[in-house]
Structure formats: structure tokens, C-alpha cells
């Protein structure tokens, strides 16, 4: 059982509630010697996402796919997002986004640039998400894309002007947090081609 550096938080117990696709754990802890408290933690892995920009045409690549959580919330069933994937084991997140860009979009990436590593939903999820920008051009389309049919993926690729992508954020057609963040970063970095 652990304590934090100040010794004020003591972990009293850790219990696996479910161990399916990812693991759901219940953590029991006490703060400042107080009463025990519980939190559920979903260990949904390490992710990596990339927004490829074509600086010459002022376009970005996005993917549209079935997202069951959005569907059961009544917002889906399809979400428009930046291309993303789960980082397996000790894989390099930059390699993960190159691989996912090939599988999901059929594009090879250039000038892959790391931005941040973020907790997308730290209240209940242990996921760490690595965010990248990249560049592409029409000549970098090297395959069909669409995702891995064996995993049931049917991914549509969108090659859209930045202004159109931003309008989709404003109308609610894009609701995915990492995607909004990446589009905002492009608007900060490239104000002249963003409007
Ligand atoms: N069988 C099964 N498949 C699942 C389950 N949950 C997800 N999958 C499938 O597993 C595959 C994972 O595909 P990736 O491309 O590697 O990941 P992702 O779903 O795009 O996830 C990425 O984006 C998420 C949303 O931002 C991130 O949460 C995640 O960490 C990752 O970065 C998808 O086909 C997805 O439908 C499940 O419970 N059961
Ligand atoms: Mg994916």
C-alpha cells in the first residue's frame, strides 16, 4: 500500500472489478487520516493521435467512425476525429501514429511533430494520450485506408479545408476533445491558412 510524497494519501486497497477489453479497478484510499473513500479507475491504455495538415492546400485529414459511447449517449453513432490508435506495449507513439495513419487513412505522414501528452479524462480514466501534428500531400495517399476489417473497423477518410473543419467544431459536428485541441493548435501555428 502506497503513500504519496507528503504522506497525506494512503492507498488502502485495490480491487479489479472487471477485466474485459480494458481493466476497471476500484481504489480505496484515505486522505489526511480521514475516512476511507473509493474511486473507480478505467485503465484504458495509452493512446496516440495525429492531425495531418497539407500546408499547400490548407486541408486536414480526419476520420469518421462508429463510436459506441457517443451512440449510447445519443450523440452518435458516428464521430469525426483525428486519426488515433492504441499504443501497444513499449511502442514509440510516433510510430503508432504513422501506422494508424496508414491503416485508417491510407496516408504516409511527413514532418511528424509531438505536441503534448495529456490525460483526456483524469477523473475516471488512467489513459495517457500523446498528441501529434504532421504534414501530408495528395501524393502521400499510398493505400485505401478504412481501418482493419478484421477488427470490424469501417473508417471513412475526410480531406477537408481547415475552415470547414473549424466550422464543424462550431456546429457540433466535431465533438471529440483531442480533435478540437489539435485543430486549435493548427489555428495558433498557422493563422494565415486557418480562416
Ligand atoms: N472487441 C472489442 N473491440 C474494441 C473494444 N473497444 C474498442 N475496440 C476496438 O479496438 C480498436 C482500437 O482501434 P485503435 O485505432 O487502436 O484505437 P481507437 O479506438 O481509435 O482509440 C484511440 O482513440 C481513442 C479515442 O480518442 C482513445 O481513447 C484511445 O486511447 C486511442 O487513442 C477499434 O476497432 C475499436 O472499435 C471492446 O470493448 N471490444
Ligand atoms: Mg483508431
Amino acid at each position: 500500500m502506497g503513500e504519496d510524497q507528503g504522506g497525506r494519501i494512503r492507498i488502502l486497497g485495490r480491487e479489479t472489478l472487471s477485466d474485459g477489453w480494458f481493466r476497471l479497478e476500484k481504489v480505496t484510499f484515505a486522505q489526511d487520516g480521514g475516512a476511507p473513500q473509493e474511486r473507480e479507475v478505467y485503465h484504458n491504455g495509452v493512446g496516440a493521435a495525429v492531425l495531418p495538415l497539407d500546408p499547400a492546400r490548407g486541408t486536414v485529414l480526419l476520420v469518421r467512425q462508429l463510436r459506441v459511447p457517443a451512440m449510447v449517449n445519443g450523440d452518435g453513432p458516428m464521430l469525426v476525429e483525428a486519426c488515433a490508435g492504441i499504443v501497444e506495449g513499449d511502442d514509440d507513439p510516433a510510430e503508432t501514429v504513422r501506422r494508424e495513419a496508414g491503416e485508417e487513412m491510407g496516408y504516409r505522414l511527413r514532418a511528424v511533430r509531438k505536441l503534448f501528452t495529456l490525460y483526456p479524462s483524469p477523473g475516471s480514466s488512467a489513459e495517457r494520450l500523446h498528441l501529434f501534428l504532421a504534414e501530408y500531400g495528395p501524393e502521400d495517399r499510398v493505400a485505401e485506408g478504412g481501418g482493419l476489417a478484421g477488427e470490424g473497423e469501417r473508417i471513412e477518410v475526410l480531406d477537408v479545408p481547415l475552415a470547414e473543419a473549424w466550422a464543424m467544431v462550431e456546429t457540433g459536428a466535431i465533438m471529440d476533445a483531442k480533435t478540437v485541441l489539435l485543430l486549435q493548435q493548427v489555428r495558433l501555428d498557422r493563422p494565415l491558412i486557418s480562416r
Side-chain angles (χ1 to χ4, degrees):
M1 301 301 151
E3 286 182 316
D4 77 346
Q5 286 166 338
R8 297 186 300 111
I9 300 175
R10 176 180 285 273
I11 293 179
L12 304 173
R14 301 179 62 162
E15 179 190 353
T16 295
L17 299 179
S18 159
D19 200 1
W21 181 257
F22 290 120
R23 191 166 61 89
L24 179 65
E25 182 183 36
K26 183 170 78 179
V27 178
T28 308
F29 63 98
Q31 269 176 301
D32 298 320
Q37 299 179 64
E38 293 176 347
R39 292 290 184 278
E40 291 183 4
V41 177
Y42 193 47
H43 290 277
N44 52 324
V46 177
V50 64
L51 182 68
L53 167 75
D54 179 344
R57 293 185 307 136
T59 54
V60 289
L61 290 177
L62 297 168
V63 291
R64 190 165 176 272
Q65 66 195 302
L66 172 65
R67 288 303 198 184
V68 173
M71 179 177 74
V72 298
N73 268 348
D75 288 318
M78 311 298 277
L79 284 192
V80 175
E81 301 173 39
C83 170
I86 296 164
V87 180
E88 310 280 354
D90 292 332
D91 283 1
D92 177 4
E95 281 309 309
T96 298
V97 296
R98 287 183 186 282
R99 187 193 65 228
E100 293 291 332
E103 286 176 6
E104 297 190 351
M105 303 190 293
Y107 277 83
R108 73 179 167 219
L109 300 179
R110 289 190 261 153
V112 174
R113 176 160 73 92
K114 173 81 186 288
L115 289 178
F116 324 110
T117 299
L118 303 176
Y119 277 86
S121 189
S124 58
S125 162
E127 178 181 350
R128 301 168 83 244
L129 182 60
H130 302 281
L131 294 187
F132 293 85
L133 292 177
E135 293 185 11
Y136 77 104
E139 67 281 11
D140 294 310
R141 178 137 204 217
V142 291
E144 192 62 28
L148 299 177
E151 291 185 11
E153 292 183 326
R154 289 186 214 166
I155 295 173
E156 185 188 340
V157 185
L158 309 182
D159 188 359
V160 291
L162 261 168
E164 190 180 319
W166 190 251
M168 291 170 79
V169 173
E170 293 184 324
T171 61
I174 291 177
M175 295 183 73
D176 174 56
K178 64 180 180 296
T179 308
V180 175
L181 209 150
L182 288 166
L183 287 168
Q184 282 177 334
Q185 187 68 44
V186 172
R187 283 160 63 86
L188 284 173
D189 290 353
R190 310 266 194 163
L192 295 181
I193 58 171
S194 299
R195 281 151 225 279

